[in-house]
């Protein structure tokens, strides 16, 4: 197992890593809309979702993976009414390649953000 860390995504805010590689699979921790410097991005659900994807891109690249090699995504959202707007942003990153996905509404997310996404990807 190899632990992944990049300064281009926020540090873990607990006893976990940004992600791990086991064999040829990368498992990301959930990414929330923190900047790489650890500042919470306030703003619309669309802006928060773009920041989440920026963080995911950074950890995927560090792992030797990409959005094109993602096989499964899990999306956690605070309010299912935001799903169409989150889905629109999601589609900007997965417009041709469409991995398997789950989406669940949760009572609360870390730092009271609106969205968190984790991915599993093949390492190139």
């Amino acid at each position: 197992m190899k632990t992944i860390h990049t300064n281009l995504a926020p540090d873990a805010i607990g006893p976990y890593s940004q992600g791990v590689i086991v064999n040829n699979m990368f498992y990301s921790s959930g990414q929330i809309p923190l900047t790489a410097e650890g500042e919470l991005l306030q703003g619309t659900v669309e802006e928060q979702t773009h920041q989440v994807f920026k963080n995911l891109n950074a950890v995927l690249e560090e792992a030797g993976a990409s959005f094109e090699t993602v096989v499964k995504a899990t999306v956690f959202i605070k309010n299912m009414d935001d799903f169409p707007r989150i889905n629109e942003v999601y589609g900007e990153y997965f417009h041709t390649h469409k991995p398997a996905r789950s989406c669940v509404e949760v009572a609360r997310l870390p730092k009271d953000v609106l969205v968190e996404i984790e991915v599993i990807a093949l390492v190139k």
Side-chain angles (χ1 to χ4, degrees):
M1 182 171 78
K2 177 181 177 187
T3 301
I4 296 302
H5 179 268
T6 176
N7 292 330
L8 299 178
D11 285 330
I13 53 176
Y16 61 91
S17 62
Q18 292 171 331
V20 296
I21 297 172
V22 177
N23 297 325
N24 66 331
M25 297 299 295
F26 171 66
Y27 301 85
S28 82
S29 291
Q31 291 293 320
I32 62 174
L34 292 175
T35 66
E37 297 75 33
E39 297 295 318
L40 181 61
L41 178 82
Q42 301 293 337
T44 66
V45 71
E46 292 93 344
E47 291 167 328
Q48 287 194 16
T49 305
H50 279 295
Q51 182 64 48
V52 167
F53 272 100
K54 182 176 181 181
N55 297 342
L56 286 170
N57 186 59
V59 295
L60 282 163
E61 284 187 359
E62 185 67 23
S66 70
F67 290 127
E68 290 296 312
T69 67
V70 170
V71 296
K72 175 75 165 72
T74 306
V75 181
F76 303 95
I77 61 178
K78 186 174 181 177
N79 184 343
M80 196 57 78
D81 292 339
D82 289 334
F83 178 74
R85 298 180 342 199
I86 292 168
N87 200 46
E88 186 173 322
V89 174
Y90 182 96
E92 292 179 32
Y93 297 90
F94 293 115
H95 53 276
T96 54
H97 171 66
K98 294 177 175 47
R101 179 180 77 182
S102 300
C103 180
V104 294
E105 179 183 75
V106 295
R108 194 166 180 204
L109 289 164
K111 299 193 176 281
D112 291 317
V113 300
L114 303 175
V115 60
E116 178 176 3
I117 301 173
E118 65 184 27
V119 296
I120 300 170
L122 288 169
V123 175
K124 300 175 192 171

